[in-house]
Amino acid sequence: MEFSLLGPIAVTTGATELSLGPAKRRSVLALLLLQPNTTVPLEQLIDSLWEDEPPEHARTVVQGHVSRLRATLAEGGAEAYGIELTTHGSAYLLRLPEELIDAHRFGELVALARPEAAPADAVPLLREALGLWRGPALTGTVTSPPFAAAAHALEERRLTAVEALGRAHGTLGEHEQAAAILYSAAVNHPLREGLIAGLMRALFRTGRQSDALEWFHRTRRLLNEELGVDPGERLRGAYEEILRAEAADGGRAKPAGGARSGAASGGAAAGHGRGAAPEGGRSSAAGHGPRPVAATGQGPVPNGTGAADTRGGDAPGGDRARAGAADGARAGSGSARAGAAPRLLPRPPARFLGRENELAALTAVLADRTTGESPLAVVAGPAGVGKTACAVQWAHQHAGSFPDGQLFADLRGFGEGDEAPPAEILRDFLLALGTPPERVPTSAQAASALFRSLVAERRLLVVLDNARSSAQVRPLLPGGPHCATVVTSRSRLDGLVATDCARPVGLQTLGHEEGAALLGAMLGPERVAEDPAAARELVDLCDGLPLALRAAAAQLTARPRWRLARLAAALRDERRRLALLSAEDTGIAAALRMSVARLSADDAQLLSALATSADGHLNTALAAALAGYDPERTQDGLDRLAEMHLVDEEATDVYTISTLTQLFARDERGEGGDGSKGE
């Protein structure tokens, strides 16, 4: 049985966590654990549980909580561990081996560590001690002054251990690691001068004197603005030491001891939103700090025990910045696996060509750093238009601009089965970034916060393919100012545009020249050159959709003796066209089926009615007449179909539906009867 105070209050036996009940009951247990094997007066419990005047029945309430705790511990097998909760008059005693309490083990490990005398031994001891932390101490207790004071005291002990670990690495000459550790704590405690002084020295000794001096000036300003005081002796001493060393060395600092070149110092500011600043909105001096390697996933209390690797890179249109894929990250209470920057992009699309305008538009959107926020592009268009290919092609072309990694996920918004839940995608991302499996939060909210923390200062590209809705995307957005995100969807995702400043990049169907070029790339230019008129007709019969053209090319590849005109003649038969434009598990009919399956019954019926239009051109009045809906209901439905790119709004109240969509909707109408058939 183990008792946790360094994070959420918890009692575990093996892999099972006991149910402790409401906050006041957890608070009673926490107070008893803070004073183990010592009688705690009932009056002290009452004073701690109620910040204001306690109620008349306070004694009864406390007695009830103690009784329930005693029963809970007994059910968990407390007796076998030598644990007993007893009553002594008007006081209570929790008798137990103190090593079962994480705070006690933390203190013992820190006491054993001697950072200056035995740094090589101190490093693993302090890392193990800091690994016991799972978030802010005493999480889940009441917010009274006694508990706030106790949590603050524990946090001070944690920060002292972080400083000691930094000194131990520094004594070993491992200044990169020291900077990584101290940065995490310094970001979240920007007025703690000892941390800043240690970080300044570590940065200077890795050759980053400008960053070290920037931390001094930033802290000096904060001290003056918030406390009205000047830097203390430790901070001034570090500043003067760096200035003297610069003067003595002509301004050229060299990494000392065992510092490894090519490794960046790192840290993470735990964020709770895109671009969130730590410590109540104060800037984390983005662009001057090391790369993130530490976060708890529980809020702004990083453990700070990781090392990172520095690589340079130029973001599209941006300034060259220090980059670093984290070799280590702390998530919860364990160390992350070391590893290279994640490269999760699928292979580049085969025989990709054209789309120069769209690729240039993506570059313009994702290079825009004027807002100081993480740029976000939404590549939207109808099924089969090549959104994924375009996004992946751009990602490969610009991978070098994101040296800290490229993440990719299929959100399955328009695929077989259910869409991918954010928690599933976040788990994959966190594992790729080096978080140990047992430290990945189970809730999407906590996993999202940890993800943002880990990538807050990295140059990272995130590609989110096949999204269904804005809500599915938001938890997966990195938010760091040096990150960029590309989302593809058949929906316009207007919600992301409204709330997250996403910039749309629309993908249109191919014209005759681009379509013929794609056929030539698939079949060989000579075969297309034999009959350019048939090639143009094939582009028309495929509605200019790359997916349909590739399926047509697959048919011709399987029939090398066929001329293009023969396939064009076959495709003129509207009863066979969708079948011919399929290749095993790929085809325009399957793609459209996934879009229609996401429609409501009313919208599917409206689409089916639109398919009976003679030429695919209509307005609201004609659509209402075809569907038998009133004009307002029809207009709302047309807006939703246009958002899903199943119809195209060419001008105000001028809509078109493509031939292939018409053919599919007619087939569905014939098979389903009401136009609402879908899988």
Side-chain angles (χ1 to χ4, degrees):
M1 183 172 284
E2 296 184 352
F3 296 84
S4 299
L5 296 174
L6 307 180
I9 303 300
V11 182
T12 56
T13 56
T16 303
E17 183 172 329
L18 303 184
S19 177
L20 296 178
K24 279 190 168 55
R25 191 173 304 156
R26 293 172 180 268
S27 301
V28 169
L29 176 61
L31 200 57
L32 294 172
L33 289 170
L34 287 168
Q35 304 173 72
N37 301 310
T38 303
T39 55
V40 180
L42 177 60
E43 292 304 320
Q44 182 183 351
L45 287 167
I46 292 173
D47 290 342
S48 300
L49 292 178
W50 281 276
E51 186 172 355
D52 300 321
E53 187 69 22
E56 293 183 1
H57 61 287
R59 296 176 66 90
T60 303
V61 172
V62 173
Q63 289 167 353
H65 285 314
V66 170
S67 177
R68 286 302 308 149
L69 283 173
R70 186 181 291 121
T72 299
L73 294 173
E75 291 169 4
E79 184 178 357
Y81 294 91
I83 301 168
E84 185 181 14
L85 176 53
T86 60
T87 303
H88 293 263
S90 59
Y92 299 99
L93 170 66
L94 180 57
R95 184 178 291 109
L96 78 168
E98 293 186 14
E99 59 269 19
L100 299 181
I101 307 172
D102 60 357
H104 177 81
R105 297 200 303 278
F106 171 81
E108 284 192 328
L109 289 166
V110 172
L112 289 170
R114 295 180 297 156
E116 287 80 17
D121 293 331
V123 166
L125 290 170
L126 291 167
R127 283 184 177 274
E128 183 178 350
L130 289 166
L132 296 172
W133 285 74
R134 299 177 300 113
L138 306 183
T139 298
T141 59
V142 298
T143 56
S144 66
F147 281 104
H152 177 73
L154 287 170
E155 173 65 3
E156 285 293 308
R157 292 171 61 191
R158 187 188 73 82
L159 291 173
T160 299
V162 170
E163 292 179 17
L165 182 56
R167 293 198 308 274
H169 278 298
T171 304
L172 292 171
E174 298 169 345
H175 303 298
E176 301 284 0
Q177 291 90 328
I181 291 155
L182 296 171
Y183 178 81
S184 299
V187 164
N188 291 284
H189 299 272
L191 299 178
R192 190 177 176 94
E193 296 184 50
L195 273 176
I196 310 301
L199 175 60
M200 288 170 57
R201 290 187 173 95
L203 289 172
F204 176 72
R205 289 163 185 163
T206 62
R208 300 176 61 185
Q209 52 266 43
S210 61
D211 286 349
L213 296 176
E214 171 61 23
W215 270 98
F216 172 80
H217 293 300
R218 173 176 174 266
T219 307
R220 177 180 54 80
R221 289 192 299 269
L222 284 174
L223 288 168
N224 181 263
E225 292 169 1
E226 300 196 14
L227 302 179
V229 300
D230 293 325
E233 182 179 346
R234 286 184 294 176
L235 198 58
R236 287 200 316 272
Y239 179 64
E240 293 167 0
E241 178 183 320
I242 291 171
L243 292 181
R244 286 195 301 270
E246 275 197 294
D249 196 37
R252 297 183 301 276
K254 297 182 177 63
R260 294 184 296 273
S261 61
S265 48
H272 296 279
R274 299 186 64 219
E279 292 293 319
R282 289 191 291 273
S283 166
S284 62
H288 296 289
R291 288 292 177 255
V293 297
T296 62
Q298 303 289 340
V301 185
N303 292 326
T305 57
D309 176 44
T310 292
R311 287 174 295 276
D314 296 321
D319 296 330
R320 183 176 180 86
R322 291 168 300 278
D327 286 336
R330 298 196 55 81
S333 59
S335 298
R337 299 185 304 274
R343 313 289 182 192
L344 301 189
L345 293 177
R347 67 186 181 90
R351 292 179 172 82
F352 183 92
L353 76 162
R355 299 297 192 192
E356 287 85 2
N357 292 337
E358 290 85 353
L359 293 171
L362 267 176
T363 300
V365 170
L366 298 173
D368 184 4
R369 307 283 168 172
T370 57
T371 64
E373 298 175 344
S374 172
L376 169 61
V378 175
V379 180
V385 80
K387 300 177 292 297
T388 301
C390 185
V392 172
Q393 178 73 8
W394 187 93
H396 278 285
Q397 287 178 350
H398 295 273
S401 300
F402 301 95
D404 293 329
Q406 304 93 45
L407 300 176
F408 178 92
D410 179 5
L411 304 190
R412 306 197 299 272
F414 297 91
E416 296 284 354
D418 296 332
E419 64 186 68
E424 174 187 315
I425 302 300
L426 286 165
R427 178 176 177 81
D428 291 344
F429 283 179
L430 290 172
L431 292 175
L433 290 166
T435 306
E438 66 274 12
R439 302 306 178 194
V440 175
T442 56
S443 77
Q445 183 178 10
S448 180
L450 176 57
F451 173 59
R452 290 192 300 271
S453 297
L454 289 176
V455 304
E457 293 296 332
R458 298 190 188 188
R459 286 194 179 278
L460 188 80
L461 176 64
V462 180
V463 181
L464 303 173
D465 185 41
N466 201 13
R468 179 179 180 181
S469 66
S470 299
Q472 186 188 20
V473 170
R474 285 193 186 98
L476 309 176
L477 297 177
H482 306 298
C483 296
T485 307
V486 183
V487 181
T488 75
S489 180
R490 299 180 192 182
S491 169
R492 292 195 307 255
L493 300 184
D494 293 340
L496 285 182
V497 176
T499 63
D500 295 86
C501 299
R503 300 273 297 279
V505 176
L507 231 58
Q508 305 300 321
T509 56
L510 301 178
H512 287 124
E513 290 187 7
E514 287 184 314
L518 177 59
L519 288 173
M522 299 286 292
L523 299 170
E526 299 83 4
R527 196 170 179 187
V528 174
E530 290 177 357
D531 197 344
R536 291 174 63 88
E537 184 180 7
L538 282 175
V539 174
D540 289 335
L541 291 167
C542 292
D543 282 343
L545 291 171
L547 178 62
L549 286 165
R550 287 176 178 271
Q555 295 285 358
L556 289 166
T557 300
R559 300 167 176 82
R561 296 177 182 174
W562 278 28
R563 294 173 59 86
L564 270 63
R566 182 169 178 180
L567 178 61
L571 289 174
R572 290 186 204 120
D573 184 350
E574 293 185 345
R575 296 169 301 178
R576 300 180 59 202
R577 190 178 305 174
L578 289 176
L580 287 170
L581 295 180
S582 298
E584 289 192 76
D585 59 345
T586 301
I588 196 64
L592 286 168
R593 184 171 293 110
M594 293 304 101
S595 290
V596 174
R598 298 295 192 249
L599 297 178
S600 67
D602 281 354
D603 289 349
Q605 186 171 340
L606 175 60
L607 181 69
S608 179
L610 301 182
T612 63
S613 169
D615 60 359
H617 290 76
L618 38 87
N619 57 22
T620 304
L622 178 56
L626 292 173
Y629 291 173
D630 63 68
E632 183 177 354
R633 180 183 178 190
T634 303
Q635 184 63 64
D636 291 343
L638 285 171
D639 288 343
R640 288 189 292 269
L641 292 177
E643 183 181 353
M644 294 282 290
H645 294 93
L646 287 165
V647 300
D648 182 36
E649 187 176 9
E650 292 186 343
T652 302
D653 200 29
V654 178
Y655 296 89
T656 60
I657 178 172
S658 72
T659 303
L660 291 177
T661 303
Q662 278 187 288
L663 294 177
F664 177 81
R666 289 173 192 169
D667 285 352
E668 293 292 281
R669 184 184 184 93
E671 294 178 19
D674 61 356
S676 60
K677 177 182 177 292
E679 297 177 5

